[in-house]
Amino acid sequence: MSSSRNRLETDFVMKWSAEAEDLLKKVPFFVRKKVRARVEKEAREARKKVVSPAEVKATQKRFLAGQQADIQGYRVETCFGPSGCSNRAVAGDQLMTRIETHLKKADILGFLKQSVKGDLKYHHEFRVSLADCPNACSQPQIRDIGIIGAAIPESGDASCTNCEACVEACSEEAIVLKGDEPSPSIDYRRCLNCGRCVAVCPSGALQDTCRGFRVQLGGKLGRHPRLARELPGIYAEDEVLQIVADCLTLYKQRSTNGRRFAEIFTLDDFDAFSRKYPGQE
């Protein structure tokens, strides 16, 4: 009986007052979902049917009090991964594991504790995001380091059957079929290297001879938002790891009192990285 009641309480959709919703909107977006879940959990435990401003304020106060214990110095974010996304250009699971291992060894939390005056907050953490395709659900464009899976399409050995499967699969309208040509024509100015055209090609007229990762550096939100800048090529796992290592070295050398990577990563730095890591185009 008790288990059935608990299940019903969990399935119950908690209502929010308009004032409570307004308060929730003031919570930083990257912890808003977590705060909402915690507010609703504590409201259920208190037998509340509607979330009021009082519940939001009480939960937020407890949440902020425990924030220090939850901060680890860095955040690693991914998209849906192998079980939830059919659009993967390349599998980034192994790379993300290697990156997280490197971040742990870098002891960013220890660095932040020494360089930040006062309590640490979530926005102090170094953020890395990996998306397995250009849909970029994990928002790499606004992270310190953003990584996007890529597969460069090229003409294969087989002749095109003009089935138009690649044209239909390409959201960028980067592929044109010409009946008198043996292979599809690819406009690389439009192409985002998602690999979808290769995946649907039944004849082998399209192949991906280069799979790897695009890398974007220095994105952030906040009072002065900035989109990350993308390095010029496609990179293998080992190259991505070296780029991450170089970014962390630069970050530790220059960041003071919690300054974000985007604030210390200059155009000159970007140019230097571009020369050091030309990648494959």
Side-chain angles (χ1 to χ4, degrees), residues 8 100 134 193 228:
L8 287 172
E100 189 157 17
N193 302 319

Side-chain angles (χ1 to χ4, degrees), residues 23 61 64 67 238 240 245 258:
L23 278 178
K61 185 176 180 180
L64 292 174
Q67 188 178 121
D238 288 345
V240 175

Side-chain angles (χ1 to χ4, degrees), residues 17 47 70 84 96 121 190 205 238-239 252 261 269 274:
S17 71
R47 305 296 180 184
D70 195 37
M96 185 51 67
K121 296 181 173 60
R190 289 177 174 267
D238 288 345
E239 291 177 300
K252 286 186 171 183
F261 182 68
D269 295 322
S274 298

Side-chain angles (χ1 to χ4, degrees), residues 105-172:
K105 291 181 179 179
D107 189 23
I108 300 175
L109 180 59
F111 168 75
L112 288 173
K113 286 181 177 178
Q114 290 182 346
S115 62
V116 175
K117 298 176 182 178
D119 294 335
L120 294 181
K121 296 181 173 60
Y122 287 117
H123 67 262
H124 289 131
E125 293 185 308
F126 194 94
R127 293 178 177 270
V128 177
S129 172
L130 192 152
D132 288 335
C133 80
N135 289 349
C137 298
S138 57
Q139 301 178 313
Q141 297 88 350
I142 54 174
R143 306 299 183 224
D144 297 308
I145 300 176
I147 302 161
I148 303 174
I152 301 178
E154 294 182 356
S155 297
D157 296 329
S159 295
C160 177
T161 62
N162 289 300
C163 69
E164 297 190 354
C166 57
V167 175
E168 294 175 3
C170 182
S171 301
E172 309 306 317

